[in-house]
Amino acid sequence: MILSIESSCDDSSIAITSIEDSTLLFHKKISQENDHSKYGGVVPELAARLHAIALPNILEEAKPYFKSLKAIAVTNEPGLSVTLVEGVCMAKALSISLELPLLAINHLKGHIYSLFINNPEVKFPLGVLLVSGGHTQLLHVKNYDEIEVLATTLDDSFGESFDKVAKMLNLGYPGGPVVEEYAAYGRKSNFKFTVPLANSSKLAFSYSGLKNQVRLATLAELELNEQAKCDICLEFQTTATKHIVQKLKKVFATTHFDTFAIVGGASANQHLRGEVDKLCKINHAELLVADMEFCSDNAAMIGRCAIDAYRLKRFISLDDIDVNPRAGY
Ligand code: KG4
Ligand code: ZN
């Protein structure tokens, strides 16, 4: 079995995964969302302190598995440096005390592997849309090592733009679920936002301009009542999704994917799923998404990714493991 640790942002999580058949044997996650909500976003130092409390508590519950462990896996990149360090320190301590090898796992790769948890039929290659709080990327994933980035964001990410819109409308943190909920009550209104990079042939994303359009709309209103907030959320969510679909159409025009997947925290968004699904059907691609509980950050996806790393013998020494907050793949 492999014990995996995730602490790249505001979720403390530990999982145990079977090496033989990749099944998830234990998984626990403590989310800090309520602690950060009043600040409208994640406060890194607070997140680190909360990991230092939560991770040892979860580890206590994983102790019965210790005698069956063959490796310790940990997210070491990308993420918040002060929170990544919490997981990496715990992984090093476990590696020394239990005399087990270490596996350093890339968080973004982990999100891709969320598709494989409880789903052994999923196979590479895959087209992947990764939408999280830190990333918006279109990927061609050929295998564990070969991940081609087809498009990425020039500024904010899809999930982050939901967080910022929620903050502007005083809806709390994280913004994604609450903006989606408000959008469900939105009506066609006078709020109109333009789709970013609509006239650009560039294969890239940009959300800072859309965020600014929302800001200007909120400033123009004398009093933002609940219905106006719902209407803004609907127009914002529709425009943010159209932007992804427009760029995805360009990729589908040149590349065929038998299977296309959406991963990352924002892949929970039902409107996005629905629109990408329509596009997949037209292009004869099957759409895959992870189980809802594995869309946002969790150690189960890190553990599933670690199974492949273990089979490929990608062990790293105690001296070499380091945190890389801004790493790609
Ligand atoms: O993958 P994740 O848990 O953490 C990162 O790796 O960043 O993604 C969190 C992000 C947040 O920005 C959150 O607002 C967004 O995912 N999110 C959503 C939804 N649920 C979570 N965005 C849009 N719609 C949702 N339903
Ligand atoms: Zn994530």
Side-chain angles (χ1 to χ4, degrees):
M1 296 171 196
I2 293 180
L3 181 145
S4 55
I5 306 168
E6 159 64 38
S7 68
S8 65
C9 190
D10 60 345
D11 293 296
S12 317
S13 182
I14 293 179
I16 306 279
T17 310
S18 157
I19 295 170
E20 196 185 357
D21 57 9
S22 309
T23 50
L24 182 62
L25 303 169
F26 168 89
H27 177 226
K28 183 152 180 188
K29 157 168 152 170
I30 297 177
S31 179
Q32 308 171 356
E33 281 169 3
N34 293 338
D35 303 277
H36 298 286
S37 185
K38 56 178 172 289
Y39 305 106
V42 177
V43 182
E45 284 72 18
L46 172 61
R49 276 204 296 275
L50 294 171
H51 284 307
I53 299 165
L55 286 175
N57 283 339
I58 306 177
L59 191 68
E60 202 62 41
E61 291 183 43
K63 265 189 180 160
Y65 297 94
F66 276 15
K67 54 186 178 313
S68 308
L69 294 179
K70 291 276 179 278
I72 304 293
V74 63
T75 305
N76 73 320
E77 61 178 32
L80 301 169
S81 59
V82 289
T83 65
L84 286 166
V85 159
E86 294 296 329
V88 169
C89 282
M90 174 175 267
K92 283 182 166 186
L94 286 170
S95 166
I96 294 168
S97 57
L98 301 176
E99 295 180 28
L100 291 170
L102 269 179
L103 295 161
I105 303 296
N106 178 289
H107 180 79
L108 306 176
K109 218 180 253 189
H111 273 302
I112 298 168
Y113 273 85
S114 66
L115 298 163
F116 296 75
I117 308 167
N118 299 335
N119 203 345
E121 286 93 57
V122 181
K123 300 262 180 309
F124 293 130
L126 293 168
V128 174
L129 170 67
L130 169 69
V131 272
S132 68
H135 292 79
T136 305
Q137 295 184 327
L138 272 172
L139 308 167
H140 193 171
V141 187
K142 293 162 194 165
N143 54 49
Y144 181 89
D145 290 306
E146 273 181 279
I147 299 175
E148 188 186 350
V149 180
L150 305 174
T152 190
T153 183
L154 304 171
D155 40 62
D156 292 357
S157 76
F158 181 80
E160 186 181 9
S161 69
F162 276 72
D163 295 332
K164 289 184 175 160
V165 166
K167 193 171 179 180
M168 285 182 240
L169 299 177
N170 274 326
L171 302 179
Y173 173 86
V178 67
V179 168
E180 182 172 12
E181 198 185 320
Y182 267 64
Y185 295 99
R187 307 163 308 185
K188 279 216 177 312
S189 65
N190 291 331
F191 297 110
K192 292 278 173 279
F193 304 137
T194 53
V195 180
L197 304 177
N199 300 317
S200 162
S201 58
K202 216 176 199 167
L203 208 48
F205 301 105
S206 168
Y207 282 97
S208 66
L210 176 57
K211 177 186 70 184
N212 205 36
Q213 292 184 62
V214 176
R215 191 180 65 84
L216 295 175
T218 58
L219 290 178
E221 289 293 296
L222 286 178
E223 198 190 334
L224 268 182
N225 60 32
E226 287 295 288
Q227 187 58 54
K229 288 184 183 181
C230 292
D231 297 345
I232 289 176
C233 286
L234 175 63
E235 177 65 11
F236 160 73
Q237 180 177 262
T238 308
T239 312
T241 305
K242 265 188 197 157
H243 178 28
I244 288 193
V245 169
Q246 282 185 1
K247 296 301 174 188
L248 203 48
K249 272 184 187 163
K250 285 191 195 297
V251 173
F252 279 7
T254 56
T255 316
H256 173 74
F257 300 107
D258 285 336
T259 315
F260 189 82
I262 320 179
V263 300
S267 69
N269 188 283
Q270 296 300 325
H271 177 66
L272 176 68
R273 285 183 178 198
E275 293 304 302
V276 174
D277 192 34
K278 282 184 208 161
L279 196 63
C280 283
K281 288 207 165 83
I282 294 169
N283 289 280
H284 309 290
E286 186 197 355
L287 178 68
L288 278 184
V289 285
D291 292 349
M292 216 50 157
E293 67 169 311
F294 302 125
C295 289
S296 56
D297 294 349
N298 64 83
M301 67 187 196
I302 302 304
R304 181 59 191 82
C305 185
I307 297 296
D308 277 16
Y310 181 87
R311 289 183 185 138
L312 293 164
K313 300 191 170 49
R314 299 291 165 82
F315 304 111
I316 186 163
S317 75
L318 281 165
D319 289 338
D320 289 338
I321 191 167
D322 209 351
V323 302
N324 302 308
R326 304 183 70 80
Y329 292 93

